[in-house]
Amino acid sequence: MQHYDVVAVGGGPAGTATTLALARRGFKTALVERTVDPPPRAGETLPGAVRNALLHLGVLDRFLAGEHDPAVGNRSCWGGDEVEEVHFIHSAYGSGWHIDRQRFERMLLAAAEESGVTLVRGSSLDALSYDGATWRIRAGSTEMTARHVIDATGRASTVARICGAQRVAIDQLVGITSFYASKGVDDPQGKFTFIEASETGWWYSAPLPGARLVVAYFTDSDLAQNVSPPPHTRERIDAYTLIVPSRVASANTARLSSVIGPAWLAVGDSAVSFDPLSSQGILTALESALDAATAIATNQLDRYAELVTERYRDYLVNRARYYAIEKRWPDSPFWQRRQRGTPAR
């Protein structure tokens, strides 16, 4: 039986960053992750502002040495037929990065382990109980006790559900993601992330390290079908060859009925899941992790819950504002659902 101050379940960016931040504060921590190695995931564009979170975690130099591709800005075709551009040169932090998610997660895990976090890889959570003072956790052949448990299981919210919390979703958004390899011709969107609206949803595309491209089509689960990409996205895809067929995953907006409980809290997507249009997933996960580590270190879990609620409400306002811009398909169920207003929860 191993004894820890904190055990986190889920080895994605949120869980790994929380245990890393706590280990740097002197806490004895462990991280349970069901995979032996981070699986390949859709890439992500990180803004330059991520430097702050990486610096606080002590991994900025390691990240900068990771050979992620530069991201010069965002382009969009939204609310009209013209392509608009926002260049990162106008940001105080400069250019961002198109990252290799698998490489990024490996970097975080290595940094956590070097900081003293015990990694329990290749083991799922098999048993969890709390006697009012101590958690007992079993993952595979490993048994542990802890003063606090962190739910970092993503949209599954496994720990929170065991503790009685429920997930509350406000839409049915799904993402249909494919990966492509360059044909050796110029990408018409260059190093830009590109967003393009269509009648039944919207399309995201971004270059990845290794001359690859990720393309995701976001729509509601009851509207999901084979549709042709809109013109600018189609033109971009034509410069690439499909290498990984489409995969469907939930991308809805949802939050837990409670993100904290007696000696537990949820971080990242486990606590609140944002529409990819309005969020910066990894940046939000890292900031959530730093807030969670501070809450545990200072015994202010209630304050952490307030911060999560504030971030969620701000997100809902921004989400509604951005979807309201697109007026080209007033009879489309997808756009009608997002423009009739969604109350904050």
Side-chain angles (χ1 to χ4, degrees):
M1 181 73 71
Q2 300 295 315
H3 306 279
Y4 296 94
D5 296 316
V6 181
V7 171
V9 183
T16 307
T18 307
T19 55
L20 171 57
L22 286 167
R24 288 171 58 82
R25 290 173 178 254
F27 284 75
K28 185 178 181 182
T29 61
L31 180 66
V32 177
E33 168 52 36
R34 60 186 177 83
T35 62
V36 175
D37 189 46
R41 304 181 192 274
E44 184 159 344
T45 303
L46 294 185
V50 78
R51 289 173 178 266
N52 288 335
L54 296 175
L55 184 62
H56 279 93
L57 290 168
V59 297
L60 178 58
D61 289 342
R62 190 189 295 246
F63 170 75
L64 294 176
E67 298 182 351
H68 300 286
D69 285 357
V72 298
N74 296 324
R75 287 177 176 166
S76 63
C77 187
W78 193 276
D81 296 328
E82 299 297 320
V83 175
E84 298 184 355
E85 180 177 305
V86 176
H87 205 292
F88 288 156
I89 196 172
H90 301 298
S91 165
Y93 297 98
S95 295
W97 298 270
H98 297 299
I99 68 168
D100 182 314
R101 276 290 299 272
Q102 191 176 42
R103 188 189 310 163
F104 180 83
E105 293 187 22
R106 285 171 178 164
M107 179 274 293
L108 279 181
L109 286 165
E113 191 167 30
E114 290 171 15
S115 297
V117 179
T118 299
L119 301 185
V120 183
R121 298 176 186 259
S123 298
S124 297
L125 179 66
D126 294 320
L128 178 70
S129 62
Y130 184 60
D131 63 10
T134 303
W135 289 96
R136 295 181 67 91
I137 304 106
R138 179 164 54 84
S141 61
T142 303
E143 295 190 14
M144 300 168 280
T145 62
R147 292 191 293 115
H148 287 87
V149 168
I150 295 170
D151 187 340
T153 59
R155 292 173 180 271
S157 300
T158 303
V159 172
R161 290 176 186 271
I162 291 174
C163 295
Q166 297 179 333
R167 286 186 67 84
V168 181
I170 66 171
D171 61 51
Q172 309 170 54
L173 192 71
V174 294
I176 305 171
T177 306
S178 304
F179 293 87
Y180 297 79
S182 175
K183 294 179 179 177
V185 299
D186 289 341
D187 182 330
Q189 302 301 334
K191 293 295 184 180
F192 285 84
T193 297
F194 188 64
I195 302 292
E196 187 171 12
S198 67
E199 183 175 1
T200 55
W202 56 275
W203 294 73
Y204 162 95
S205 60
L208 297 174
R212 294 175 297 143
L213 180 76
V214 58
V215 177
Y217 167 51
F218 292 95
T219 187
D220 287 333
S221 58
D222 62 327
L223 304 176
Q225 55 185 314
N226 292 326
V227 297
S228 298
H232 297 292
T233 300
R234 177 74 268 168
E235 182 184 16
R236 183 175 217 180
I237 291 173
D238 285 345
Y240 293 83
T241 300
L242 180 68
I243 55 174
V244 179
S246 299
R247 300 173 182 173
V248 182
S250 176
N252 64 356
T253 294
R255 69 160 295 169
L256 285 174
S257 57
S258 177
V259 299
I260 63 169
W264 70 267
L265 59 76
V267 296
D269 278 345
S270 180
V272 180
S273 301
F274 292 159
D275 183 323
L277 177 67
S278 307
S279 71
Q280 295 163 331
I282 290 180
L283 176 58
T284 301
L286 298 182
E287 292 176 342
S288 170
L290 290 168
D291 289 342
T294 298
I296 290 174
T298 60
N299 196 29
Q300 296 185 41
L301 269 62
D302 287 342
R303 177 54 185 156
Y304 170 76
E306 292 173 359
L307 290 173
V308 172
T309 298
E310 290 170 8
R311 184 177 288 128
Y312 181 67
R313 286 175 175 168
D314 288 345
Y315 151 76
L316 287 179
V317 171
N318 291 328
R319 172 183 179 271
R321 182 181 298 123
Y322 204 69
Y323 273 117
I325 295 172
E326 184 53 79
K327 304 292 189 183
R328 286 178 288 176
W329 300 285
D331 296 326
S332 162
F334 179 86
W335 296 102
Q336 287 178 346
R337 292 166 184 173
R338 283 151 182 82
Q339 293 171 355
R340 64 191 177 200
T342 301
R345 301 190 183 189

